[in-house]
Amino acid sequence: MLAVLLLLGLLAWTGVIPMPTREFSRPPEEVVAPPPCPVGDGAPVELNYISTRIYNSTNATGLATALGHDLATLGINVIETSNWNDKTVPEPIRMFAGPNGVNAAYTLLAYLPEAIIVFDPTNTSEIVDVVIGKNWTAVNVAATPEDVQAAMEPLPDCVPVVEEESSSE
């Protein structure tokens, strides 16, 4: 009897006998909020006015530095390149932008077409945080003015950014 149980256990462990999976034992998939819509007139931002921080969320070394170099070559201000201190993002590129950086993030889509944009209401600067994730390939250094204009089209299901009015006392 013990030999039969050991044999069954070994067959299940090696995958010969399929075992049912439990949905509750799987980690929950991350849900990303819908992207923000372009702000104001939705005009692209000139590259020399875009500031970024580049982070690598993968185990591959040197990706943030390489991407930072490519973006700097295009005229984009790269403030920092570093490792991401959170889990690996599942997209090739995830950009975080606050209300003042949304149009810069949309402009960057022409050069990083695999990216998604995540709205970060706590970021009150114009800086766009660019996080390299799984399967990132390369920067589209050959983006044309038409590519930039096309990148400014609102993403599907985008949510308008509510700009706070400044109060004067």
Side-chain angles (χ1 to χ4, degrees):
M1 179 70 169
L2 182 59
V4 171
L5 289 176
L6 285 173
L7 180 62
L8 287 175
L10 181 64
L11 291 173
W13 183 61
T14 58
V16 174
I17 298 175
M19 296 299 295
T21 60
R22 295 182 181 173
E23 291 298 320
F24 63 86
S25 66
R26 292 185 186 163
E29 291 188 23
E30 183 178 3
V31 176
V32 177
C37 295
V39 177
D41 62 1
V45 177
E46 290 184 38
L47 297 183
N48 59 329
Y49 289 111
I50 296 176
S51 294
T52 61
R53 289 184 290 244
I54 313 296
Y55 299 103
N56 180 6
S57 77
T58 72
N59 292 329
T61 59
L63 293 182
T65 301
L67 176 56
H69 177 267
D70 289 347
L71 293 180
T73 300
L74 294 169
I76 295 166
N77 182 23
V78 178
I79 297 170
E80 176 184 358
T81 59
S82 184
N83 287 321
W84 183 244
N85 292 325
D86 206 344
K87 62 185 174 186
T88 301
V89 298
E91 306 86 15
I93 297 279
R94 184 182 289 185
M95 295 188 286
F96 294 90
N100 298 319
V102 169
N103 287 4
Y106 267 88
T107 303
L108 287 171
L109 284 175
Y111 303 91
L112 302 168
E114 302 170 311
I116 67 161
I117 301 173
V118 176
F119 183 67
D120 179 5
T122 65
N123 180 353
T124 57
S125 73
E126 295 177 352
I127 298 170
V128 178
D129 292 323
V130 178
V131 183
I132 301 168
K134 295 180 179 179
N135 303 319
W136 174 67
T137 53
V139 175
N140 177 16
V141 294
T144 65
E146 292 79 19
D147 294 333
V148 173
Q149 198 56 50
M152 298 309 295
E153 288 296 316
L155 293 170
D157 301 322
C158 74
V159 176
V161 174
V162 177
E163 297 182 62
E164 294 183 18
E165 293 182 26
S166 58
S167 61
S168 57
E169 295 186 36

